[in-house]
Amino acid sequence: MGVSTSALKWQGWLVGLVTLAGLLVFAPLGLYVWASAGGGGRQEAAPPPAVEYVRVTGCRVDPAGRRITATVEATGRAEGAGAYVVTVEFRDRAAAEPGGRAAQSLVKIPGVAPGATEYAEVPGPVWPPSTTPWCGVAAADFTAAKQVK
């Protein structure tokens, strides 16, 4: 028994219609996924993290009380004035120990204007004698000042 040519034509049309229906259903879905993933349109760049605007400029131990103090510098951001909350870490070496814990202190640096530099002193723990301290920024957050109109 053979297959007639009219049956093959009908099967060809059926395959073509199913393919076209699949494209009509899945093409918009694919475009939606592509656009929501950032492929469609121009995306604005996120501002750099606050840690890039903050650094420790000094780390000293008071000889009398053996308390460590870090000097923190915060530079204003282009998007406007605001305040930084900085977590300063105090360790006995620059490289953190895996699973180790370090002393930390928080400091708030308010009213940092764009382009300006503000400083703060951050007291730390009492430091053991004959140990050289390391002070560094563990984390920083920036909160923009509210604009009054």
Side-chain angles (χ1 to χ4, degrees), residues 9-113:
K9 282 185 181 180
W10 175 247
Q11 287 177 350
W13 277 102
L14 185 61
V15 169
L17 287 174
V18 169
T19 304
L20 181 63
L23 285 174
L24 289 174
V25 171
F26 291 110
L29 179 64
L31 286 173
Y32 173 75
V33 170
W34 176 72
S36 64
R42 182 178 162 163
Q43 299 288 326
E44 289 190 31
V51 174
E52 293 184 18
Y53 293 91
V54 179
R55 67 186 184 119
V56 172
T57 59
C59 187
R60 66 185 184 287
V61 178
D62 176 39
R66 300 291 311 158
R67 184 164 297 276
I68 190 169
T69 303
T71 304
V72 177
E73 173 186 284
T75 305
R77 298 167 68 116
E79 54 264 18
Y84 288 93
V85 175
V86 183
T87 304
V88 178
E89 196 167 76
F90 305 95
R91 299 192 301 246
D92 59 354
R93 62 181 63 99
E97 292 181 30
R101 296 183 61 170
Q104 295 182 339
S105 291
L106 288 174
V107 64
K108 183 174 184 176
I109 306 173
V112 183

Side-chain angles (χ1 to χ4, degrees), residues 74-84 108-118 141-148:
T75 305
R77 298 167 68 116
E79 54 264 18
Y84 288 93
K108 183 174 184 176
I109 306 173
V112 183
T117 302
E118 300 290 336
D141 291 315
F142 178 78
T143 304
K146 295 185 179 178
Q147 300 287 333
V148 179

